[in-house]
Amino acid sequence: MHIEVQHRPAYALAVVKLSAGETVVGEAGAMVSMDSHLRMETKAASKPDQGMMGALFSGLKRLVAGESFFQNRYTAEGRGGEVTFAPTLVGDIETYQLEGKALMLQSSSYLCSGPDVTVDTKWGGAKTFFGGEGLIMLKASGTGPIAFNSFGAIRRVAVDGEFTVDTGHLVAFEDTLKFTVGKFGESWKSFIFGGEGLVCKFRGTGTLFLQTRNPQAFGQLIGPLLPKRQS
Amino acid sequence: MMHEIKNKPDYASLHVTLQQGEAVVAESGALMGMSGGVKMETSMKGGLFAAAKRALGGESVFLNTYTASADGQRCDFAPPTPGDMLHIPMSGNTVMVQRGSYVASSGTVTADAKWGGAKSFFAGEGLFMLKCTGQGDLWIGSYGAIAEHRVEGTYIVDTTHVVGFDDSLTYTVRKVGGMKSFFLSAEGLVVEFSGHGRVWFQTRSAPSLAGFLNPFRILVQKN
């Protein structure tokens, strides 16, 4: 399996080439095009050894995380083929090779991955939940490639020591980094009125990926300009 | 006539220079600017019936014709979405263009509406195509980049990503996977192409963006 990212950086498209019998897993709804002999299956993503209830539970957790309940699996039957994926918002796509080390992803940043990559929901903690920032992370582990997307450009930061990130700009980070979620500034006053949301404070050594635009901020800019919706 | 697509690929725009008597036809909302010696005519190209069909296709009823009354007159056009543009030389061939992707054409190229079938209409993903045929130039625009795929056999594209395709291809609108996939996979309808020819698709989807923004609309209680 080979993932090539085309049309970078503004309108990136992930082109996945599969050999005969190979499978790629994609975020539900992200498929743009594919060879028609590929078989698509919809499954609640789960670890291989999970039973029915385990699969259902991890699907539910993913639903809470803002990811679609189901991931789709695309398999090239008989002969090789291609499938392409794109995210909703304008921006770039980055690929990463998993080899034992886990990668944490902001839930809306996941695009597609190899069949031996397990994607599991990790609760960001009550503090992030009540902050309204919805910092719910996906934990990608196992072996193989994974592709994730950004709103705007992707900035790669090699952290050695401490680094603070606005949660809305966080895309992904290596699991070797420890993080705590907190408010920006010293007082609650600056948290409420300062216009800065919650931040992730990272510590340790590892790579993290930032996006140069904040999807929540974009939604909050446009949403109130649209006709109101009724409950 | 000289023409050039500038500001590629993010914010592409079309810049045409006309000699006296030369004309270019464009979607009625596409004009950015023009020189003083250009006369604009709103014509129901292909007659009233063709215009009405185009209206059904989500395109404006009217296509505008811009004709130069002197040499060296300039016309600038732009598509509605951020993204790229593509110039397709036409030599009597036929290209189907998704509504909203048609920007402009020249020469004898005509744009006629074609019904995409009830299935795509009821799914809210109306695949309305304009059938563009003739000799001259055709310019189309995309939301995001334009990817070209040469179909040899069969190929599937999500309906909301289709920009255009050669008429030499046959196509059907269907869902991917089984019924379970249709309801649970979040994938909508796709177009399956068969035969030999080019398909152009855009790397972003306008309905997806609307879907992202919808939860940010202010919620009011129903009384």
Side-chain angles (χ1 to χ4, degrees), chain A:
Chain A
M1 178 170 84
H2 178 70
I3 304 175
E4 188 195 346
V5 183
Q6 299 178 353
H7 307 292
R8 300 185 70 170
Y11 307 118
L13 178 77
V15 179
V16 182
K17 305 274 189 199
L18 298 171
S19 301
E22 281 189 325
T23 295
V24 64
V25 182
E27 196 258 325
M31 190 272 289
V32 173
S33 70
M34 66 182 202
D35 283 316
S36 56
H37 70 281
L38 264 59
R39 182 165 49 90
M40 194 194 90
E41 284 174 294
T42 298
K43 276 192 177 165
S46 62
K47 297 188 185 80
D49 57 355
Q50 268 180 330
M52 175 73 178
M53 288 312 289
L56 192 64
F57 185 62
S58 57
L60 275 170
K61 276 203 297 179
R62 224 185 327 276
L63 187 66
V64 169
E67 279 298 291
S68 314
F69 190 88
F70 293 94
Q71 288 174 307
N72 296 335
R73 294 168 61 86
Y74 303 85
T75 304
E77 294 195 315
R79 59 194 162 92
E82 74 164 38
V83 52
T84 69
F85 300 102
T88 294
L89 296 173
V90 295
D92 208 355
I93 296 170
E94 187 76 57
T95 57
Y96 184 92
Q97 192 71 26
L98 285 162
E99 290 162 340
K101 226 186 325 186
L103 188 73
M104 304 292 291
L105 294 155
Q106 172 92 285
S107 59
S108 61
S109 296
Y110 171 78
L111 190 64
C112 63
S113 54
D116 300 323
V117 173
T118 303
V119 180
D120 204 2
T121 306
K122 185 139 174 150
W123 176 243
K127 211 166 169 185
T128 69
F129 183 75
F130 292 116
E133 292 276 320
L135 183 72
I136 295 176
M137 307 298 296
L138 301 173
K139 183 176 185 172
S141 56
T143 308
I146 183 167
F148 49 88
N149 53 264
S150 60
F151 182 32
I154 290 187
R155 301 292 303 171
R156 182 191 285 258
V157 182
V159 178
D160 187 10
E162 279 185 7
F163 199 79
T164 299
V165 176
D166 181 284
T167 52
H169 287 274
L170 183 63
V171 171
F173 58 94
E174 289 173 344
D175 202 27
T176 52
L177 291 167
K178 302 280 169 243
F179 78 102
T180 54
V181 177
K183 60 189 191 306
F184 188 73
E186 291 304 306
S187 70
W188 282 99
K189 187 178 151 199
S190 69
F191 172 61
I192 295 166
F193 301 109
E196 295 289 342
L198 288 168
V199 294
C200 271
K201 290 174 185 169
F202 290 94
R203 194 182 294 271
T205 306
T207 302
L208 69 81
F209 300 88
L210 304 179
Q211 53 192 355
T212 60
R213 293 294 180 277
N214 178 340
Q216 296 289 317
F218 181 58
Q220 285 160 11
L221 175 74
I222 305 295
L225 305 176
L226 298 173
K228 294 179 174 62
R229 64 194 165 105
Q230 297 207 317
S231 59

Side-chain angles (χ1 to χ4, degrees), chain B residues 127-139:
Chain B
L127 184 73
F128 291 99
M129 309 301 299
L130 293 174
K131 185 174 187 169
C132 299
T133 187
Q135 294 203 334
D137 305 285
L138 172 65
W139 293 277

Side-chain angles (χ1 to χ4, degrees), chain B residues 86-117:
Chain B
L86 183 69
H87 169 243
I88 302 173
M90 300 289 282
S91 52
N93 54 311
T94 302
V95 171
M96 306 294 289
V97 178
Q98 168 89 299
R99 67 169 179 176
S101 299
Y102 171 85
V103 178
S105 51
S106 75
T108 64
V109 176
T110 56
D112 196 8
K114 186 157 171 137
W115 174 247

Side-chain angles (χ1 to χ4, degrees), chain B residues 22-35:
Chain B
E22 289 184 329
V24 60
V25 174
E27 197 276 322
S28 67
L31 183 76
M32 268 201 299
M34 63 184 197
S35 309

